[in-house]
Amino acid sequence: MRNISMLGSVLVLSFVLLFGMYSPVSAATMHDQGQHTYAAQACQANGPYPDATCTPGAIFSNATTKEVCTPGYASSVRNVSQSTKRKVYASYGISSYRPGQYEVDHFISLGLGGSNAISNLWPEAGSPFPGYREKNVVENYLHNEVCSGALSLSDAQYKISHDWVAVYNSIK
């Protein structure tokens, strides 16, 4: 079964490379459809970024700017169980931690249309700098930009998932 899943992933990757249709969102869709098992991987954070294979990012494909800009939207869609959080920590090899050391973070934040899929979750460290506190500043900044009409929702999703640190450095 695993070989079939790996073959499927290779075929999808070959198709994507051949036709140039790769994006974190399309990769996340593939992961969300159960074609990939995270528990079998040893995910590794890359500094302030999650493992690109384990946590490529995922969105609610039907989320609109009007919805994400409605007060209370993020809390209305937030749905990450303790069981899922434990799986996220385990996938990154974290078996114990101190309060405030990590937070299970939505790589693409709920306020930017990110989903609760495990492919959008990772244990983001508070330190070293920049950590989850700084990423929260970026999430709020991009959300405000989207809601003011200065930035499209898809552009904000791209910025947060491709180089949120650059956004942070441009606004601090």
Side-chain angles (χ1 to χ4, degrees), residues 105-138:
D105 185 57
H106 290 81
F107 187 39
I108 300 173
S109 67
L110 294 173
L112 295 175
S115 81
N116 295 302
I118 199 163
S119 59
N120 194 42
L121 301 172
W122 73 297
E124 186 173 16
S127 64
F129 181 88
Y132 65 75
R133 292 169 190 87
E134 291 76 29
K135 183 166 176 286
N136 290 344
V137 169
V138 172

Side-chain angles (χ1 to χ4, degrees), residues 33-155:
Q33 293 173 350
Q35 297 177 11
H36 200 70
T37 304
Y38 291 95
Q41 291 193 18
C43 305
Q44 293 289 319
N46 181 19
Y49 300 99
D51 185 299
T53 301
C54 299
T55 313
I59 62 169
F60 288 119
S61 58
N62 59 346
T64 65
T65 298
K66 182 178 178 183
E67 288 172 324
V68 301
C69 294
T70 300
Y73 168 79
S75 60
S76 74
V77 297
R78 183 177 307 276
N79 184 17
V80 180
S81 68
Q82 289 302 316
S83 172
T84 299
K85 289 180 181 182
R86 285 191 295 273
K87 288 177 187 174
V88 169
Y89 281 115
S91 70
Y92 278 81
I94 300 168
S95 58
S96 65
Y97 52 91
R98 297 179 313 281
Q101 185 177 5
Y102 297 96
E103 74 174 20
V104 172
D105 185 57
H106 290 81
F107 187 39
I108 300 173
S109 67
L110 294 173
L112 295 175
S115 81
N116 295 302
I118 199 163
S119 59
N120 194 42
L121 301 172
W122 73 297
E124 186 173 16
S127 64
F129 181 88
Y132 65 75
R133 292 169 190 87
E134 291 76 29
K135 183 166 176 286
N136 290 344
V137 169
V138 172
E139 293 169 357
N140 292 332
Y141 169 79
L142 291 175
H143 182 261
N144 290 338
E145 291 289 288
V146 167
C147 295
S148 73
L151 189 64
S152 73
L153 183 57
S154 61
D155 285 346

